[in-house]
């Protein structure tokens, strides 16, 4: 799964959750003991870590915004950053798998 696979996985997740209001974000995810918002923020952080690794830069903490409704936008931005970094196919596949797993857990 290359760039298009990652883009498709992100598109599906955003389509699933992009219209959610705050109570739905605050609800528990189907796996683990975290909210849906925490789960998606964890995904955003994982993708940001991949960007840093590909670019050879130190990893930085992605801010947890007060408004969970911004999470789909954060996910889109960090995905665009990862694609722009030109990662190898295995990194793209790993990222797509992470997105798909997160989507399944929502």
């Amino acid at each position: 799964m290359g760039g298009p696979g990652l883009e498709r996985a992100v598109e599906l997740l955003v389509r699933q959750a992009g219209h959610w209001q705050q109570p739905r974000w605050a609800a528990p995810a189907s796996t683990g003991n975290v909210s849906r918002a925490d789960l998606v923020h964890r995904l955003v952080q994982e993708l940001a870590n991949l960007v840093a690794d590909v670019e050879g830069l130190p990893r930085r903490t992605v801010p947890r915004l007060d408004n969970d409704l911004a999470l789909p936008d954060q996910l889109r931005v960090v995905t665009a950053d990862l694609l722009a970094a030109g990662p190898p196919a295995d990194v793209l596949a790993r990222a797509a798998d992470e997105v798909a797993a997160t989507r399944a857990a929502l």
Side-chain angles (χ1 to χ4, degrees):
M1 206 180 271
L6 174 58
E7 289 173 299
R8 177 74 175 141
V10 169
E11 177 186 324
L12 290 171
L13 192 152
V14 169
R15 192 179 301 160
Q16 175 182 344
H19 63 281
W20 288 356
Q21 296 301 313
Q22 188 59 41
R24 201 141 178 212
W25 280 110
S30 66
T31 59
N33 193 19
V34 296
S35 71
R36 291 169 168 165
D38 289 340
L39 192 66
V40 172
H41 184 262
R42 184 180 304 153
L43 172 64
V44 169
Q45 183 65 62
E46 285 299 316
L47 296 182
N49 289 345
L50 290 176
V51 173
D53 293 349
V54 167
E55 293 179 338
L57 298 171
R59 292 179 173 188
R60 292 180 293 217
T61 301
V62 174
R64 183 73 160 87
L65 303 176
D66 291 337
N67 188 345
D68 292 333
L69 303 180
L71 284 165
D73 290 332
Q74 277 189 304
L75 179 60
R76 283 187 185 112
V77 168
V78 77
T79 300
D81 289 347
L82 180 57
L83 293 170
D90 64 316
V91 172
L92 288 172
R94 178 174 156 204
D97 289 345
E98 291 284 337
V99 173
T102 299
R103 182 172 173 250
L106 291 177

